[in-house]
Amino acid sequence: MKETEGLRHRRLQPPQVISEESRDAETKHVSAYSGKVFRITLTTLIVTLLAPFLVATLLLQSPINPEPFSYKEPPLLIGPLEPNLKLREAEHLFEDQLLGPESIAHLGEVIFTGTADGKILKIIDGQVHTLARIGKLPCGTRDDEPTCGRPLGIRVGPNGTLFVTDAYYGLFEINPVTGEMEMLISAQKVIQGRRMAFVNDLSITQDGRKIYFTDSSSKWQRKDNRYLVMEGTTDGRLMEYDTVTKQVEVLMDDLRFANGVQLSPAEDYVLVSETTMARIRRYHISGLRKGGHDIFFDNLPGLPDNIRPSSSGGYWVGMAVLRPNPGFSMMDFLAPRPWLKNLIFKLFSQEMTMKFVPKYGLVLELNEDGSIRRSFHDPHGVVVPSVSEADEHDGYLYLGSYYAPFLCRLNLNKV
């Protein structure tokens, strides 16, 4: 076949006409493909991000077993609770010379406090000295704490000796000069079928015969105090120790985080902070209501820690965490949602969860009838990040903290 004949037999391709319709069809095809790629990429990203949460939810074991409970709406921060900057007038003392001075006691002009590294310190003429150590080294980490010890409540007794509660070791009497110690109650002692896991605060009668103290939990130790709060465990106790008979009696049980303790001026009742429930309970130890108990102050604007007497005849209450109103209260939000508490502690450590708690310094002064007399604030914790105890001495308010590397002192004449 000749080349010309071959050409005649070839089919000629018709010319392609590019119209607007064809352009739209091609554009739609490309868009559909791009959309499909985007959806696949987005789905992969979401699954990648959510996978750890799904694994945590399904496989990881929560360290707590919380029960749902609820609070009343937090009190409005108005009137005597009106926010102010009075705590910012406080000064830092002995900065970086001590860590976590939880509780404070005075013997004349000498200051005593217990710290996070297991020491009981004596501060005299501006110098910090180690008076005693209940536990043993090493100290410094959360896992060290049970053997290192953690002195919490500290008081001066009528005979001039110190009485100290150590969270892990129990109740001690200490010579303020020599540092010699005597164990009064071991934390290992079984009381009504339960041992003490978290010995906390104490208050002593004027004659020194009775010591009232708290065991915050028989399940959770101090190093797990966030678990105790979030679980809402009802195993805290208020107890009475008789220094003559050496007997211990349980006065109140089923408390959610029994914490600070304070006898009334007349010693007819004893107050105890029920930290998780944001309230203060009262146990009557004499009079017609002896053996009975009631609520002294309900629905506090935060979680109460230690209680100490004020010169007005009332009480100073240190607040560990604020429940803001107006504002968002994490404690109030989580209380009725145990599933969310479980998820949080599956994913985060106790230390990490504390990073979500805003710093706020707050001290309340309550009248003897339980009404609020006044409050001192430090929004955002600029000077005073948190208050474990407010101890009044000679016109000053000494402020403790369970983690700050300093003591704070506020001149009451200036506020």
Side-chain angles (χ1 to χ4, degrees):
M1 184 185 299
K2 295 181 179 180
E3 185 177 352
T4 55
E5 293 178 354
L7 291 172
R8 284 199 302 268
H9 287 281
R10 290 177 186 169
R11 293 184 179 180
L12 298 177
Q13 296 293 329
Q16 292 184 353
V17 179
I18 301 176
S19 63
E20 291 296 326
E21 289 80 1
S22 63
R23 285 197 185 97
D24 291 344
E26 185 175 356
T27 301
K28 289 179 180 177
H29 175 74
V30 173
S31 298
Y33 177 76
S34 299
K36 184 176 181 181
V37 170
F38 174 76
R39 287 194 296 273
I40 292 173
T41 303
L42 181 61
T43 302
T44 303
L45 180 62
I46 291 172
V47 170
T48 302
L49 293 175
L50 290 181
F53 293 92
L54 295 174
V55 170
T57 303
L58 297 174
L59 301 180
L60 295 181
Q61 185 72 29
S62 172
I64 61 175
N65 184 28
E67 291 292 331
F69 62 93
S70 61
Y71 297 100
K72 297 177 182 177
E73 181 181 350
L76 288 169
L77 298 181
I78 58 175
L81 288 175
E82 184 78 33
N84 54 60
L85 302 177
K86 292 182 178 180
L87 284 185
R88 292 190 185 174
E89 299 296 321
E91 59 181 324
H92 288 180
L93 302 178
F94 317 111
E95 193 155 6
D96 297 325
Q97 297 182 60
L98 39 72
L99 179 63
E102 166 92 9
S103 182
I104 305 131
H106 288 83
L107 186 57
E109 296 306 309
V110 181
I111 302 172
F112 297 92
T113 187
T115 53
D117 51 2
K119 297 176 182 176
I120 296 162
L121 300 180
K122 178 180 182 178
I123 304 172
I124 182 169
D125 296 329
Q127 299 298 311
V128 179
H129 307 275
T130 299
L131 176 67
R133 179 188 289 279
I134 294 174
K136 59 185 179 181
L137 296 173
C139 297
T141 70
R142 176 176 169 274
D143 292 334
D144 292 334
E145 209 176 84
T147 52
C148 171
R150 184 40 165 122
L152 295 177
I154 185 167
R155 302 275 191 162
V156 176
N159 59 354
T161 60
L162 299 177
F163 290 86
V164 177
T165 45
D166 185 284
Y168 300 93
Y169 285 95
L171 175 63
F172 292 81
E173 184 174 8
I174 301 176
N175 186 307
V177 177
T178 66
E180 182 181 355
M181 297 184 295
E182 178 187 358
M183 176 183 284
L184 303 179
I185 308 174
S186 169
Q188 301 302 313
K189 182 179 177 66
V190 176
I191 301 171
Q192 292 190 2
R194 286 154 49 192
R195 72 175 189 87
M196 298 181 288
F198 187 171
V199 184
N200 201 317
D201 195 27
L202 76 163
S203 189
I204 309 167
T205 56
Q206 295 176 28
D207 63 5
R209 171 75 185 263
K210 301 288 183 66
I211 300 175
Y212 298 91
F213 69 100
T214 47
D215 175 31
S216 296
S217 174
S218 55
K219 176 181 179 180
W220 297 110
Q221 294 183 311
R222 200 217 74 92
K223 67 187 180 71
D224 294 318
N225 63 84
R226 286 88 166 180
Y227 290 161
L228 173 57
V229 172
M230 285 293 124
E231 187 174 73
T233 315
T234 57
D235 63 348
R237 296 181 288 180
L238 171 67
M239 291 180 274
E240 175 190 84
Y241 172 70
D242 190 312
T243 59
V244 175
T245 66
K246 313 299 183 185
Q247 297 299 307
V248 179
E249 181 183 356
V250 177
L251 303 181
M252 293 180 69
D253 203 345
D254 301 326
L255 299 173
R256 282 189 163 111
F257 200 156
N259 201 332
V261 186
Q262 180 59 50
L263 277 159
S264 68
E267 298 189 349
D268 55 341
Y269 62 81
V270 60
L271 300 177
V272 55
S273 292
E274 191 175 14
T275 298
T276 300
M277 297 308 296
R279 65 189 179 191
I280 298 173
R281 304 284 289 271
R282 173 170 54 187
Y283 182 88
H284 298 273
I285 55 178
S286 66
L288 296 175
R289 302 183 66 181
K290 181 178 180 179
H293 54 84
D294 55 13
I295 305 295
F296 181 74
F297 196 112
D298 196 16
N299 200 30
L300 286 158
L303 304 189
D305 204 326
N306 286 351
I307 309 169
R308 293 297 184 264
S310 74
S311 58
S312 67
Y315 307 96
W316 294 109
V317 183
M319 308 302 291
V321 177
L322 178 71
R323 300 170 60 219
N325 188 12
F328 174 73
S329 170
M330 180 64 74
M331 284 297 303
D332 291 68
F333 178 75
L334 291 176
R337 297 175 173 87
W339 63 271
L340 186 53
K341 294 181 185 179
N342 278 325
L343 180 60
I344 288 171
F345 282 106
K346 285 180 179 182
L347 297 172
F348 303 108
S349 67
Q350 294 184 75
E351 291 73 19
M352 182 62 69
T353 60
M354 288 303 296
K355 297 183 184 299
F356 299 106
V357 179
K359 292 181 179 179
Y360 195 105
L362 177 60
V363 177
L364 304 183
E365 185 180 10
L366 304 182
N367 292 312
E368 192 175 1
D369 63 1
S371 59
I372 298 175
R373 184 168 186 261
R374 55 179 171 170
S375 62
F376 301 149
H377 299 243
D378 181 3
H380 310 298
V382 176
V383 176
V384 181
S386 179
V387 181
S388 60
E389 178 178 301
D391 185 69
E392 184 176 349
H393 176 74
D394 200 21
Y396 288 89
L397 200 60
Y398 290 79
L399 307 173
S401 167
Y402 68 91
Y403 66 87
F406 48 76
L407 271 174
C408 287
R409 184 174 68 178
L410 180 68
N411 188 337
L412 290 173
N413 295 318
K414 293 184 177 180
V415 295

